[in-house]
Amino acid sequence: MCSCPYYSGAEYRLQITPEADSPVSGTINVKVRVLEVFEPITISPVLKVALATESLSIALPSTLVLKVYDRRYANDLREFYDAPELSEESEEAFRAWAPSGSGLRRTLEEWKEKRRADDELDIEPSAEETEAYLATPLASYYENEVRVYEHMVSMQGNEIPRFFGRTRFIIESHNAQPDRMTDAEVPGILVEYMEGTRLDNLSIDALSPALCQKCVDIVLAFGDNGVLNQDVRLENFIVPSSPGILPSGSENRRRDLVMIDFAQSRLRREDEDDEQWKREKWSTDEEGAIGYVLQTKCGWDYKPTYRYMVLVEE
């Protein structure tokens, strides 16, 4: 077995590339220490980290969330695709294969086509090909999340966390421990840490009609800004412990709900016409994915907007 490099007390040096509209150009190096690993790890390890570097050229909070996109620990994906158990030997074999493996250059669609063809011929993919296949959606999730954060700047710090940039691990060879090795090729993002309670863990009494409506309003705001989210669920909403007051024009609003996790989201494509977009939104039904669930959970009187309703053609 490979020792997981994501554990409480671990320290990393990170290279941060700030978001596109940041006043800081170039990259920034910081040191962080892991305070908590959010369990269970499903697709991406998500870590609560403390900043251990002072005098930065960019203002960062002392506590942050580091989310990494590491195929080795995408546990749900590995189980779904029956990936082989990780070991030092399997990783060495993959790294030896990777430079010459054409799989690393395949798109996700090309991978799916190859896997369909292999299934028809009853060909089992090699362990190395399975690892390369897993790396492909992880890379897509990473890019999706960065694009959504950068696209939804107006909601950062309000309905969604602030986004501070892309990350890569800086490997210091003199401190390397073979059983605790981080991987410089693994990308990540650094975002605002939000202390609070996930919506699925909130008591029924705490799920007020106003809070339920706020969930739907946030989802609709994403649609209004050209975002399709295929992973809308209770677990991806946080009720802050200290809501605080947010300035918004001449009014003050309480920050009483924050949405997270946009890895399975995408922006509307430039070549996607109104009809195509409407059908994609209708079939995904992000609004219903949260509205109907809340209705079942706490009896909220959910009223669908039918904003993207598509009539069935006769």
Side-chain angles (χ1 to χ4, degrees):
M1 284 287 294
C2 284
S3 296
C4 181
Y6 310 117
Y7 59 96
S8 295
E11 293 187 345
Y12 315 122
R13 286 187 59 79
L14 300 175
Q15 182 184 77
I16 305 172
T17 303
E19 63 177 320
D21 64 346
S22 171
V24 178
S25 60
T27 59
I28 303 159
N29 293 349
V30 302
K31 185 177 181 180
V32 298
R33 178 170 54 86
V34 178
L35 301 176
E36 181 182 356
V37 179
F38 294 107
E39 300 284 356
I41 297 175
T42 54
I43 303 297
S44 295
V46 181
L47 318 172
K48 177 183 176 182
V49 300
L51 191 64
T53 303
E54 299 178 356
S55 301
L56 292 172
S57 57
I58 183 174
L60 292 175
S62 59
T63 305
L64 299 142
V65 166
L66 173 63
K67 181 176 183 179
V68 294
Y69 304 79
D70 190 334
R71 61 169 173 81
R72 298 173 299 176
Y73 303 100
N75 295 334
D76 283 4
L77 284 182
R78 297 189 71 83
E79 181 178 355
F80 183 81
Y81 290 109
D82 197 26
E85 186 174 344
L86 285 174
S87 67
E88 291 184 10
E89 292 75 19
S90 67
E91 272 302 290
E92 288 178 4
F94 174 71
R95 292 174 186 277
W97 173 87
S100 59
S102 61
L104 295 182
R105 297 186 292 274
R106 290 193 181 103
T107 65
L108 189 56
E109 286 305 313
E110 289 170 340
W111 261 120
K112 290 178 179 178
E113 184 178 341
K114 182 183 186 303
R115 290 176 72 89
R116 283 193 294 267
D118 287 349
D119 285 343
E120 290 177 1
L121 298 173
D122 200 24
I123 297 175
E124 283 290 326
S126 68
E128 291 78 17
E129 281 196 335
T130 299
E131 295 297 331
Y133 176 71
L134 290 172
T136 308
L138 262 294
S140 175
Y141 293 161
Y142 165 63
E143 292 296 339
N144 289 344
E145 195 136 26
V146 170
R147 288 191 190 104
V148 169
Y149 269 115
E150 293 190 334
H151 184 72
M152 302 297 288
V153 173
S154 63
M155 293 178 73
Q156 284 188 38
N158 299 333
E159 296 88 354
I160 66 175
R162 285 179 291 165
F163 172 71
F164 296 109
R166 302 171 180 250
T167 67
R168 294 278 177 170
F169 291 108
I170 300 172
I171 307 302
E172 297 177 319
S173 58
H174 61 281
N175 289 331
Q177 301 177 30
D179 61 333
R180 294 291 189 187
M181 280 294 289
T182 52
D183 186 344
E185 297 302 313
V186 171
I189 61 171
L190 204 61
V191 299
E192 177 185 13
Y193 170 68
M194 182 57 54
E195 183 74 42
T197 305
R198 285 188 346 193
L199 211 59
D200 60 316
N201 292 330
L202 211 62
S203 68
I204 292 177
D205 292 341
L207 290 169
S208 67
L211 186 64
C212 293
Q213 185 60 54
K214 180 70 173 180
C215 292
V216 172
D217 290 344
I218 291 175
V219 169
L220 291 174
F222 270 73
D224 291 343
N225 283 277
V227 177
L228 177 74
N229 188 340
Q230 297 176 310
D231 192 30
V232 174
R233 49 197 173 95
L234 296 182
E235 294 92 324
N236 289 341
F237 289 87
I238 295 175
V239 177
S241 301
S242 302
I245 301 296
L246 295 170
S248 178
S250 59
E251 300 178 355
N252 284 335
R253 296 180 299 154
R254 290 175 63 83
R255 191 181 192 186
D256 49 11
L257 189 67
V258 176
M259 190 178 185
I260 61 171
D261 195 353
F262 312 114
Q264 297 183 56
S265 302
R266 70 168 177 85
L267 304 184
R268 180 174 176 175
R269 296 187 297 270
E270 291 184 3
D271 63 348
E272 204 164 9
D273 62 30
D274 289 346
E275 183 66 21
Q276 291 172 323
W277 177 246
K278 189 176 178 181
R279 287 185 178 278
E280 282 290 313
K281 296 288 286 184
W282 177 249
S283 63
T284 304
D285 192 16
E286 299 126 290
E287 179 188 341
I290 192 69
Y292 286 120
V293 171
L294 286 169
Q295 179 175 267
T296 301
K297 182 178 176 68
C298 65
W300 176 49
D301 185 18
Y302 167 55
K303 293 180 173 59
T305 65
Y306 301 110
R307 184 171 302 188
Y308 299 102
M309 185 172 66
V310 175
L311 298 177
V312 177
E313 296 180 358
E314 296 182 357

